[in-house]
């Protein structure tokens, strides 16, 4: 590449800016080919104004010829090799940018990396430095943040793992990040006296600088979105000299920071999981569920997302593992989940036992949603009880699903006997026997568990804010239904077929054909496609339901068998859309017919309720206001956070203190 570049007569040009945002500091000592690739990557950056300050430490290869082909950069040529540390300080004194990017000449930032690093650094005034995910030429991780052990030795976290392995893909505070790519504030670098030249010519200088940042109250953040290809040791001395410098500087660092090292972790089996993150948390939680909680999926996903967010905001470190769908992309997961949350993507559920063995002693609590996942945990616990010593299990039952199966059998015309229904219920409740605590979505399910001798039972319905749309009654039109319709025997499909065949004709007979039904949700395999009726429209999955809540006049939930609470009803009411539902759902919610909603299981009465609510503005406003009050009382974020803290504290045997770092 270098030969071809010289032969082409090309130039690498950088625009000059009076006040560049970033000054890139490059220290060169030979390796002109690597420098060319690094400069090309910098030249390609368009969204950040930058200047390039180059210090050439007496290179003897074609570096000087290359630098003659660079326009717009500030080049400082040293007659002697000053070493990396002194050369960085030399370059920093010449820099004009608000930020400094320390960059090795054998490091090539991928497109968008500098922009993302800037975004993170500017996101909080207490962030002092941002580092990158360094990728080796063989496609494995060199470093995803680094750890300083109590003996002053260091470790690049994630070394040897595939470059997008989930362990390396969440943002976190770390002891330090490699100076191969380190973005910092120029004024801070100057105030701290730059790199300590006692570490000259190189090694431990960025370790020392980041340690001093922490000592001065500033965080060092590893951002996995910042990706740099790094040809490790290409800019170094020979391996023997490198080892000698490391040993010397390790002793210097140990002497300089002896007090700080007393609080660092000791290197041992599994210790890197705790040491990989700098900040203290309330506790470490492994959250097991079926799917990444994308709101459009329904099936409890909105509630799962609400619980995950509450844990995160409350100061817990969460590893989230969607056991059923491990082909989900990490990027899609982080569209809804915080970047600071570890998301396990790419492992099959059969790896769960090995995962727990590898991380033995790391988690305080396992939060297990849904019966099928609790079965997996119970089986592992029976075979390897030692893995669960000191580890609290919360069974997030969510609902008593056997109730739904009993209801399904009844509406299908083949009801279960009392003995069959009781056996089904007992089998499900037995799953909770090994749990330290149980969470459910409704008071009715809480009562069932307590009646069977379970005591640590909490109601966690989810945090859903009341955000009513301002559109008045007269400007709204149409009836809204929301639900996934992927299986022909699901509660959603059954309910909608019942409504379309037995309720809608009565509504249209009274209100006329002007009333239309909008059906929102995935419906690719639904029998509903066989219907040919202009009265309703299958709209498919909708990411943002807010406009539909604002333009519709009433919401219907004709569910005939279900478990837990109907989140879609709660969300509709929270958005100020009054609801007509079945008695089944009204009972699960604990809402009163005629006050908080209108409810009936009879198709003619259900139709009459829809007509009345659709036509009576006074009733519409009354139901709307009462339901909003229920939302504020039962689904507030404060209430959920309080209960969740109590639940996690009970399971982990830790007090629910609000004091943590």
């Amino acid at each position: 590449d270098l030969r071809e570049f010289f032969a082409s007569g090309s130039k690498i040009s950088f625009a000059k800016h009076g006040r560049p945002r970033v000054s890139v500091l490059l220290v060169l000592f030979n390796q002109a080919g690597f420098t060319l690739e690094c400069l090309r990557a910098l030249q390609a950056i368009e969204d950040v104004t930058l200047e390039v300050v180059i210090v050439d430490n007496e290179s003897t290869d074609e570096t000087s010829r290359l630098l003659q082909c660079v326009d717009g950069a500030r080049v400082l040529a040293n007659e002697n090799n000053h070493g990396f540390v002194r050369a960085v300080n030399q370059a920093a004194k010449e820099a004009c940018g608000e930020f400094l990017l320390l960059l090795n000449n054998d490091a090539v930032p991928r497109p968008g990396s500098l922009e993302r690093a800037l975004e993170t650094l500017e996101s909080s005034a207490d962030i002092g430095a941002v580092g990158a995910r360094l990728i080796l030429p063989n496609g494995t991780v060199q470093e995803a943040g680094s750890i300083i052990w109590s003996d002053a030795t260091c470790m690049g976290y994630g070394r040897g793992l595939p470059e997008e392995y989930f362990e390396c893909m969440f943002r976190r505070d770390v002891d330090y990040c490699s100076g191969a790519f380190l973005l910092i504030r120029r004024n801070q670098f100057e105030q701290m006296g730059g790199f300590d030249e006692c570490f000259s010519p190189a090694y431990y200088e960025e370790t020392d600088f980041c340690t001093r940042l922490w000592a001065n109250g500033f965080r060092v953040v590893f951002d996995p979105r910042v990706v740099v290809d790094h040809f490790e040791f290409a800019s170094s001395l020979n391996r023997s000299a490198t080892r000698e410098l490391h040993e010397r500087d390790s002793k210097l660092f140990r002497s300089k920071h002896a007090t700080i090292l007393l609080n660092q972790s000791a290197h041992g089996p599994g210790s890197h999981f705790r040491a990989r993150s700098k900040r203290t948390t309330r506790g470490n939680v492994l959250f097991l569920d079926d799917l990444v909680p994308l709101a459009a999926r329904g099936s409890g996903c909105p509630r799962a997302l609400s619980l995950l967010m509450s844990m995160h905001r409350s100061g817990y470190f969460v590893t989230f593992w969607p056991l059923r769908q491990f082909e989900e992309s990490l990027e899609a997961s982080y569209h809804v989940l915080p970047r600071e949350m570890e998301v396990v993507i790419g492992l099959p559920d059969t790896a769960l036992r090995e995962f727990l063995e590898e991380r033995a002693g790391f988690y305080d609590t396992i939060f297990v949603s849904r019966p099928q996942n609790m079965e997996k945990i119970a089986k592992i616990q029976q075979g390897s009880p030692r893995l669960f010593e000191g580890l609290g299990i919360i069974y997030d039952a969510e609902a008593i699903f056997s109730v739904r199966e009993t209801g399904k059998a009844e509406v299908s015309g083949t009801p279960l006997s009392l003995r069959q229904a009781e056996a089904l219920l007992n089998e499900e409740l037995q799953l909770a026997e090994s749990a330290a605590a149980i969470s459910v979505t409704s008071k009715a399910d809480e009562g069932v568990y307590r009646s069977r001798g379970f005591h640590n039972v909490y109601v966690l319905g989810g945090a859903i804010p009341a955000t009513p749309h301002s559109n008045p009654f007269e400007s709204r039109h149409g009836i809204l239904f929301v639900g996934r319709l992927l299986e022909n025997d699901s509660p959603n499909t059954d309910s909608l077929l019942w409504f379309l065949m037995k309720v809608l004709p009565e509504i249209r007979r009274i209100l006329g054909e002007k009333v239309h039904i909008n059906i929102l949700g995935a419906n690719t395999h639904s029998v509903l496609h066989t219907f040919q009726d202009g009265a309703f429209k299958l709209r498919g999955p909708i990411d943002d339901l807010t406009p539909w809540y604002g333009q519709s006049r009433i919401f219907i939930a004709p569910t005939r068998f279900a478990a837990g609470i109907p989140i879609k009803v709660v969300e509709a009411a929270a958005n100020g859309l009054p609801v007509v539902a079945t008695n089944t759902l009204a009972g699960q919610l604990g809402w009163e017919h005629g006050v908080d909603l209108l409810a009936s299981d009879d198709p003619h009465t259900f139709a009459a309720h829809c007509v009345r609510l659709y036509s009576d503005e006074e009733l519409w406003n009354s139901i709307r206001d009462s339901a909003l009050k229920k939302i504020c009382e039962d689904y507030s974020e404060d209430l959920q956070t309080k209960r969740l803290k109590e639940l996690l504290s009970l399971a982990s045997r830790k007090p629910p203190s609000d004091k943590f770092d």
Side-chain angles (χ1 to χ4, degrees):
D1 285 347
L2 188 65
R3 286 195 297 269
E4 290 176 1
F5 175 75
F6 287 148
S8 70
S10 299
K11 292 275 190 179
I12 294 179
S13 300
F14 296 98
K16 291 191 176 182
H17 304 279
R19 294 175 62 89
R21 294 197 70 207
V22 177
S23 295
V24 183
L25 311 186
L26 279 177
V27 176
L28 311 183
F29 178 68
N30 297 326
Q31 300 295 354
F34 288 114
T35 303
L36 173 63
E37 295 307 308
C38 179
L39 291 171
R40 280 173 167 168
L42 294 174
Q43 183 186 35
I45 295 172
E46 297 179 347
D47 295 335
V48 179
T49 58
L50 54 81
E51 67 169 352
V52 179
V53 182
I54 299 173
V55 175
D56 181 19
N57 260 339
E58 198 189 12
S59 295
T60 57
D61 65 353
E62 293 181 294
T63 294
S64 60
R65 183 181 176 188
L66 173 62
L67 293 179
Q68 290 172 10
C69 302
V70 178
D71 291 335
R74 188 175 307 181
V75 179
L76 309 174
N78 290 333
E79 294 182 359
N80 303 106
N81 188 342
H82 292 182
F84 179 77
V85 172
R86 290 194 175 96
V88 168
N89 287 343
Q90 178 185 1
K93 290 176 182 176
E94 299 293 325
C96 300
E98 181 182 356
F99 303 96
L100 302 179
L101 174 61
L102 312 183
L103 186 67
N104 281 7
N105 68 317
D106 58 357
V108 181
R110 292 187 187 175
S113 289
L114 179 56
E115 293 89 332
R116 296 183 192 111
L118 266 174
E119 175 190 314
T120 298
L121 186 57
E122 293 187 292
S123 67
S124 179
D126 69 345
I127 298 178
V130 174
R133 181 162 45 103
L134 302 182
I135 308 301
L136 295 170
N138 65 0
T140 64
V141 173
Q142 175 195 330
E143 173 202 313
S146 285
I147 298 167
I148 303 172
W149 299 113
S150 58
D151 63 356
T153 59
C154 301
M155 169 184 169
Y157 181 77
R159 188 179 183 93
L161 293 175
E163 67 172 87
E164 293 190 354
Y165 197 65
F166 70 89
E167 284 187 21
C168 304
M169 297 300 288
F170 66 100
R171 185 166 54 203
R172 64 190 186 281
D173 291 0
V174 295
D175 288 333
Y176 79 98
C177 289
S178 168
F181 181 108
L182 192 66
L183 185 68
I184 57 181
R185 305 176 197 274
R186 181 167 63 91
N187 61 355
Q188 206 162 44
F189 189 76
E190 292 172 350
Q191 289 167 10
M192 292 174 59
F195 279 161
D196 189 337
E197 295 187 2
C198 77
F199 295 103
S200 183
Y203 302 114
Y204 270 84
E205 69 282 344
E206 76 269 58
T207 315
D208 168 74
F209 181 77
C210 290
T211 301
R212 287 188 283 140
L213 278 175
W214 277 108
N216 282 279
F218 294 97
R219 298 156 52 202
V220 179
V221 177
F222 159 71
D223 190 336
R225 303 175 305 154
V226 182
V227 190
V228 175
D229 293 298
H230 188 216
F231 297 87
E232 188 180 26
F233 298 122
S235 58
S236 304
L237 303 171
N238 63 60
R239 294 294 180 93
S240 176
T242 296
R243 281 195 297 271
E244 289 178 7
L245 280 174
H246 266 290
E247 290 174 5
R248 185 207 70 171
D249 289 351
S250 176
K251 292 178 181 177
L252 284 171
F253 183 87
R254 187 162 57 246
S255 174
K256 182 176 180 180
H257 298 291
T259 303
I260 290 173
L261 289 172
L262 292 174
N263 295 316
Q264 294 296 111
S265 299
H267 195 188
S271 57
H272 57 290
F273 289 116
R274 289 195 181 275
R276 64 184 177 174
S277 182
K278 183 74 172 173
R279 292 180 71 83
T280 304
T281 66
R282 289 184 186 276
N284 300 318
V285 180
L286 175 61
F287 192 118
L288 304 177
D289 202 353
D290 280 353
L291 303 167
V292 173
L294 306 179
R297 283 180 167 155
S299 300
C301 285
R303 173 180 172 273
L305 178 59
S306 172
L307 294 175
L308 285 163
M309 296 302 293
S310 288
M311 289 182 191
H312 174 70
R313 283 192 295 265
S314 297
Y316 293 93
F317 172 75
V318 180
T319 298
F320 173 62
W321 189 344
L323 290 167
R324 204 180 92 196
Q325 190 162 317
F326 57 87
E327 70 273 12
E328 191 91 53
S329 76
L330 272 167
E331 194 54 40
S333 304
Y334 285 123
H335 278 310
V336 294
L337 296 171
R339 289 275 173 187
E340 293 77 14
M341 190 175 289
E342 184 180 31
V343 181
V344 181
I345 296 291
L347 291 184
D349 59 0
T350 52
L352 183 54
R353 183 194 302 272
E354 183 181 348
F355 182 89
L356 291 171
E357 287 176 348
E358 184 182 31
R359 301 195 177 196
F362 176 66
Y363 293 108
D364 305 290
T365 309
I366 303 182
F367 191 92
V368 191
S369 283
R370 306 179 198 267
Q372 64 270 25
N373 298 323
M374 189 63 187
E375 286 179 9
K376 294 182 176 94
I377 285 293
K379 190 174 293 185
I380 295 173
Q381 189 176 21
Q382 289 169 6
S384 304
R386 60 179 178 80
L387 295 178
F388 295 84
E389 293 176 0
L391 180 58
I393 299 175
I394 296 173
Y395 175 34
D396 180 39
E398 185 182 343
I400 299 177
F401 292 94
S402 58
V403 173
R404 183 173 66 189
E405 295 306 309
T406 302
K408 181 178 179 180
E410 186 172 341
V411 301
S412 67
T414 56
L416 302 179
S417 68
L418 288 176
R419 180 176 295 181
Q420 289 173 318
E422 185 69 13
L424 202 61
L425 176 62
N426 287 335
E427 182 181 356
E428 182 174 357
L429 297 185
Q430 283 174 3
L431 288 172
E433 289 180 351
S434 62
I438 304 162
S439 57
V440 292
T441 57
S442 71
K443 292 180 180 178
D445 288 342
E446 177 193 19
V448 172
Y449 272 103
R450 290 191 180 278
S451 70
R452 302 302 178 100
F454 295 95
H455 301 295
N456 297 325
V457 188
Y458 287 74
V459 176
L460 287 175
I464 301 174
T467 53
H469 203 286
S470 59
N471 278 357
F473 174 85
E474 65 272 9
S475 67
R476 295 168 175 262
H477 304 280
I479 298 172
L480 184 63
F481 175 94
V482 175
R484 294 169 69 246
L485 304 163
L486 301 182
E487 301 87 18
N488 290 336
D489 62 345
S490 70
N492 282 336
T493 305
D494 170 82
S495 70
L496 193 53
L497 287 172
W498 178 80
F499 177 83
L500 294 176
M501 291 188 293
K502 297 189 175 183
V503 179
L504 183 58
E506 184 73 8
I507 295 174
R508 298 188 79 190
R509 185 184 66 79
I510 300 172
L511 295 179
E513 295 187 358
K514 64 180 180 179
V515 176
H516 55 279
I517 316 296
N518 287 304
I519 300 169
L520 277 51
N523 51 59
T524 51
H525 301 295
S526 175
V527 72
L528 292 165
H529 286 282
T530 62
F531 275 72
Q532 299 294 329
D533 192 326
F536 67 90
K537 186 75 173 178
L538 294 169
R539 302 285 182 180
I542 304 292
D543 290 333
D544 184 9
L545 299 178
T546 306
W548 293 93
Y549 289 135
Q551 70 189 38
S552 304
R553 185 169 288 183
I554 67 171
F555 186 91
I556 56 165
T559 306
R560 300 194 295 167
F561 58 93
I565 59 167
I567 289 291
K568 60 185 179 182
V569 171
V570 178
E571 287 184 342
N575 279 273
L577 187 57
V579 177
V580 181
T582 55
N583 291 328
T584 297
L585 298 191
Q588 289 172 343
L589 289 164
W591 289 9
E592 185 180 350
H593 163 67
V595 178
D596 310 309
L597 80 177
L598 298 183
S600 178
D601 294 336
D602 174 71
H604 296 292
T605 309
F606 197 101
H609 289 337
C610 289
V611 169
R612 185 179 170 211
L613 190 59
Y614 198 91
S615 308
D616 188 333
E617 182 175 359
E618 184 178 350
L619 176 65
W620 187 90
N621 281 311
S622 174
I623 295 291
R624 167 186 160 104
D625 292 345
S626 183
L628 284 168
K629 184 179 178 182
K630 281 286 188 184
I631 299 297
C632 294
E633 290 173 352
D634 298 337
Y635 297 93
S636 73
E637 185 177 318
D638 288 346
L639 177 62
Q640 174 176 265
T641 300
K642 178 177 179 293
R643 288 178 176 173
L644 193 56
K645 285 180 184 177
E646 291 173 354
L647 183 62
L648 289 167
S649 298
L650 173 67
S652 65
R653 302 176 182 86
K654 290 183 178 180
S657 171
D658 285 327
K659 296 179 180 179
F660 73 101
D661 181 11

